[in-house]
Amino acid sequence: MKNRVLILICLLVSTIGFAQNKNKKVAFEVDGKCEMCKMRIEKAALAVPGVKYALWDIPSHQLSLVMDERKTDPMKIKTALVAAGHDTKELKATQEAYDNIHPCCKYREDNTDDSKQHHNKN
């Protein structure tokens, strides 16, 4: 009887351990300058399996995320962002990816916020 109770307790503890929420909040800097960049950055991040929430702040350039650690990691997200044409501190977009973003989004030349000068054209 003691063995059965012990086994039951062990199973219960392991089940609770696996059922814990594996969501993690992370934030890091992503280069961009406007609402079009915001849409592109958030879309690229959300396209990564395991990313549940993405919000990029124009003035601070901070991308705030909620991700499932079992499905992704920050480097996979950063890889998707540079593929979309946006630099991070660790990874830089290829010249080809950067050239494909809208001309008004060219943050490497001028990193000011000009979102008021255009609307969500993409």
Side-chain angles (χ1 to χ4, degrees):
M1 183 66 177
K2 285 184 181 181
N3 285 343
R4 287 184 182 177
V5 172
L6 185 57
I7 290 172
L8 184 60
I9 291 172
C10 288
L11 286 173
L12 182 62
V13 169
S14 65
T15 303
I16 291 170
F18 285 120
Q20 287 181 354
N21 190 353
K22 300 296 179 185
N23 290 340
K24 180 178 181 181
K25 293 180 182 180
V26 293
F28 50 83
E29 189 173 324
V30 181
D31 289 335
K33 61 188 281 186
C34 64
E35 284 291 328
M36 286 174 55
C37 295
K38 176 179 174 60
M39 289 175 49
R40 189 180 310 106
I41 290 166
E42 290 172 358
K43 182 179 178 181
L46 288 167
V48 177
V51 175
K52 298 178 179 220
Y53 171 85
L55 179 67
W56 185 70
D57 181 61
I58 295 171
S60 69
H61 294 195
Q62 287 295 305
L63 177 62
S64 300
L65 301 162
V66 175
M67 63 177 205
D68 184 336
E69 291 183 286
R70 298 169 298 179
K71 296 180 181 177
T72 193
D73 61 68
M75 197 51 71
K76 288 179 185 173
I77 300 164
K78 290 174 184 179
T79 301
L81 294 168
V82 298
H86 291 274
D87 296 343
T88 68
K89 287 190 178 194
E90 294 82 6
L91 299 175
K92 301 293 178 203
T94 64
Q95 190 61 44
E96 181 181 2
Y98 180 74
D99 289 342
N100 284 331
I101 63 174
H102 194 276
C104 72
C105 296
K106 302 294 184 181
Y107 55 85
R108 289 179 181 166
E109 291 84 25
D110 173 19
N111 207 10
T112 59
D113 174 7
D114 69 348
S115 59
K116 305 274 187 273
Q117 296 180 18
H118 59 81
H119 299 285
N120 297 330
K121 307 177 247 177
N122 203 6

